Amino acid sequence: MRDFVRPGARDVLDRFDDALFWHGLEDTTGCGSGLADGSGGWDADLLLWCPPGQVPVIAGWWRLAAPELDGLREPFTRHAAEPGGWITTFESFAAFLTDWGEIVTAAERRGWGIVGLRC
């Protein structure tokens, strides 16, 4: 679906997604956030984390990405919706991103870091 998203929206969403979910996955080459690897030298295949100092950057990307969500409806419906997947509709896709946006925003407000599982 990435190839069918407006470039400005794609760029900011790539950085947001890379920081929270992808960080260094093989099939996301060239889509990086530019943030330092949060592994601390560990081989953490499933666990990702962002220290408190990186959270304001990610929250800033969310503030830019959130208004772009509706523009993802058509590319998602046409190229990414899969009836057997765990995100089967645009609404569930948008809710997933929005929930993470709220987590990042709350962490920024509190001065916290973020820990999550790679999708």
Side-chain angles (χ1 to χ4, degrees):
M1 128 175 189
R2 287 185 65 258
D3 292 338
F4 302 97
V5 174
R6 188 180 66 71
R10 181 179 57 231
D11 294 343
V12 73
L13 282 161
D14 279 353
R15 290 190 299 266
F16 180 76
D17 290 343
D18 182 67
L20 293 175
F21 316 119
W22 300 339
H23 204 86
L25 288 178
E26 190 173 300
D27 61 348
T28 62
T29 302
C31 305
S33 66
L35 294 178
D37 182 0
S39 70
W42 297 357
D43 182 15
D45 251 1
L46 295 176
L47 185 65
L48 296 173
W49 58 92
C50 300
Q54 291 181 352
V55 172
V57 174
I58 300 167
W61 292 330
W62 174 248
R63 285 188 285 277
L64 295 173
E68 301 287 347
L69 284 183
D70 199 49
L72 303 178
R73 181 179 300 278
E74 192 274 331
F76 179 89
T77 302
R78 185 172 256 204
H79 303 285
E82 293 184 26
W86 64 282
I87 295 181
T88 59
T89 65
F90 174 76
E91 290 73 22
S92 59
F93 170 73
F96 176 77
L97 289 178
T98 300
D99 287 350
W100 271 104
E102 291 172 5
I103 289 165
V104 168
T105 301
E108 176 188 36
R109 191 172 49 251
R110 293 178 172 102
W112 291 356
I114 299 170
V115 177
L117 298 177
R118 185 182 299 203
C119 301

